[in-house]
Amino acid sequence: MITENATRHHRGRILTGIGAAAALAVVLAGCSGDGSTPAEAGSSSNPSDSATSQLSQEVDTLSQPLDAYPVPTEAVTGVSDLAGGTVYYVPITLRAPQFAVTQSGIEAAAKAAGLKVQVCDGQGNPTGVSSCVDQATQAHATGIVLDGAPYDLAANSLDAAQAAGIPVILSNQIVDERHPVSKTFAYVPPAGSEQLIALSKWIAVDSDGTANILFNRSTDGPGQIAYVEAATTALPDFCPGCTATVYDVSSANFAQIPPSTSSALLKNPDVNYLVSEFAEYLHPASDGVQQAGMTGKVQMLAAAAALSNIEEVSKGGLAAVAAQAAAYQGWVDLDAVLRLVADQEVPEYTIPFRLFTPESAKDVTLTPEAEQSGEWFGPTTFTDQFKKLWAVA
């Protein structure tokens, strides 16, 4: 039984509706001091041999690249008229390695479209994010891409930007019904839940269906909370003998991650897998494992991974990681900005992701150039496809 309120993602992609996020916030308020909450999944019985085989095949599929990226098909008008303009890219925090890759992607896309990119670090707090958005508004930006931050973290500033006619893209967050899409606002949803579910499936196979998993859950926004909820909710479906426990962390309180991790482990000494919701939390969480005296017992995993994390997997330092196609997402983010400027409908984008295991991590070229090209996730021809859509090829 899972003891926390959770909502399954629509089509396995995103949670739509602030009601679910509000319910989760109530749960957070009722958690213990370190945010540790048990989320037991199912009974103690192991999955059948056939189910285990099927799950192993799913994990193998999740470890493979795509045959093609899901690039939109409708052309964008008037892109050449925007030459010389500036798009502001505002990640919630530049601590996250994924955002550095997205930054490279959006810079490459903007260059192809004749635009410039101004990067502003949100610093993981409302003041930082609001300041960045205000800077973009004052500079009469062509558009703003806010990455990983919920709307309410800078609601007044985002409202003011749109009132000034500047389109805003909210990337890597769930859809909030209180802030619906409009002619100046759109979402680019992430593969947040899918990555954590993929890691959980790998753990189920690796542990023969008997894992004790500890998830750290970011409280930076409703999306981050929802991704972990989706993973713990799905866990009984493929690993009824697994147990999950959740504890809370945040970008704004990085120094508290080691002690909160240690505390969660000491309260749950049977934990043998620790999943960091985002790769930025890996190292402080690892410090917490060491503080708890559980180094060597607990296998470490992470979502939203980047090059250095995949290198650690290939060398045996991490059990497995999941990553989404962050460079591709940079091109998608700019595509969304261009469509809003052109007063065109923004399509429902899908951001691919991939599971990197000790086996699959050895099959990719582990260089910054390969990471930025997007080749880990599929053919790199997506850049030419976007250029053609924008009539800048």
Side-chain angles (χ1 to χ4, degrees), residues 256-351:
Q256 295 303 311
I257 297 176
S260 64
T261 302
S262 176
S263 177
L265 288 169
L266 292 173
K267 288 183 178 181
N268 302 276
D270 293 332
V271 165
N272 50 3
Y273 296 87
L274 194 160
V275 179
S276 286
E277 182 173 12
F278 301 108
E280 65 193 273
Y281 302 139
L282 260 174
H283 291 299
S286 180
D287 290 342
V289 173
Q290 185 176 7
Q291 290 177 14
M294 297 178 70
T295 302
K297 177 188 175 183
V298 177
Q299 297 195 63
M300 303 286 292
L301 305 92
L307 173 60
S308 61
N309 311 122
I310 299 171
E311 287 177 330
E312 288 187 68
V313 173
S314 69
K315 297 174 182 177
L318 290 173
V321 296
Q324 65 187 47
Y328 172 77
Q329 186 155 4
W331 285 76
V332 164
D333 288 340
L334 188 69
D335 183 76
V337 168
L338 297 176
R339 290 177 190 275
L340 286 184
V341 172
D343 196 25
Q344 294 178 231
E345 183 177 355
V346 176
E348 183 177 337
Y349 300 104
T350 298
I351 306 301

Side-chain angles (χ1 to χ4, degrees), residues 87 162 190 197 344 365:
V87 173
Q162 293 176 73
I197 292 172
Q344 294 178 231
T365 302

Side-chain angles (χ1 to χ4, degrees), residues 90-92 99 129 146-151 153 170-173 220 224:
V90 184
I92 186 172
F99 295 147
V129 173
L146 180 57
D147 202 344
Y151 195 100
L153 203 66
L170 187 54
S171 190
N172 277 313
Q173 271 294 332
D220 290 350
Q224 289 88 327

Side-chain angles (χ1 to χ4, degrees), residues 151-293:
Y151 195 100
D152 287 341
L153 203 66
N156 291 337
S157 295
L158 293 170
D159 289 346
Q162 293 176 73
I166 300 172
V168 173
I169 303 301
L170 187 54
S171 190
N172 277 313
Q173 271 294 332
I174 61 173
V175 175
D176 184 340
E177 291 179 350
R178 296 173 305 159
H179 304 290
V181 298
S182 68
K183 290 187 175 181
T184 56
F185 180 64
Y187 293 88
V188 174
S193 298
E194 293 90 336
Q195 292 182 67
L196 294 174
I197 292 172
L199 290 170
S200 300
K201 289 182 176 180
W202 182 90
I203 290 171
V205 173
D206 186 66
S207 68
D208 293 326
T210 60
N212 289 284
I213 310 171
L214 179 64
F215 290 89
N216 62 39
R217 173 180 59 188
S218 172
T219 58
D220 290 350
Q224 289 88 327
I225 296 169
Y227 308 148
V228 176
E229 296 298 328
T232 58
T233 300
L235 189 61
D237 294 340
F238 53 83
C239 193
C242 291
T243 299
T245 303
V246 174
Y247 75 105
D248 294 325
V249 298
S250 77
S251 299
N253 293 295
F254 230 68
Q256 295 303 311
I257 297 176
S260 64
T261 302
S262 176
S263 177
L265 288 169
L266 292 173
K267 288 183 178 181
N268 302 276
D270 293 332
V271 165
N272 50 3
Y273 296 87
L274 194 160
V275 179
S276 286
E277 182 173 12
F278 301 108
E280 65 193 273
Y281 302 139
L282 260 174
H283 291 299
S286 180
D287 290 342
V289 173
Q290 185 176 7
Q291 290 177 14

Side-chain angles (χ1 to χ4, degrees), residues 87-91 94 96-113 115-120 145 147 306-307 325-334 367-374 382-383 387 390:
V87 173
Y88 271 68
Y89 176 60
V90 184
L94 282 175
Q98 173 181 299
F99 295 147
V101 183
T102 301
Q103 175 185 330
S104 296
I106 198 169
E107 287 174 342
K111 182 178 180 180
L115 297 164
K116 296 174 291 186
V117 174
Q118 178 66 49
V119 180
C120 188
V145 176
D147 202 344
L307 173 60
Y328 172 77
Q329 186 155 4
W331 285 76
V332 164
D333 288 340
L334 188 69
T367 64
E369 293 77 16
E371 179 178 39
Q372 292 165 12
S373 74
F382 69 85
T383 59
K387 291 175 186 178
W390 304 341

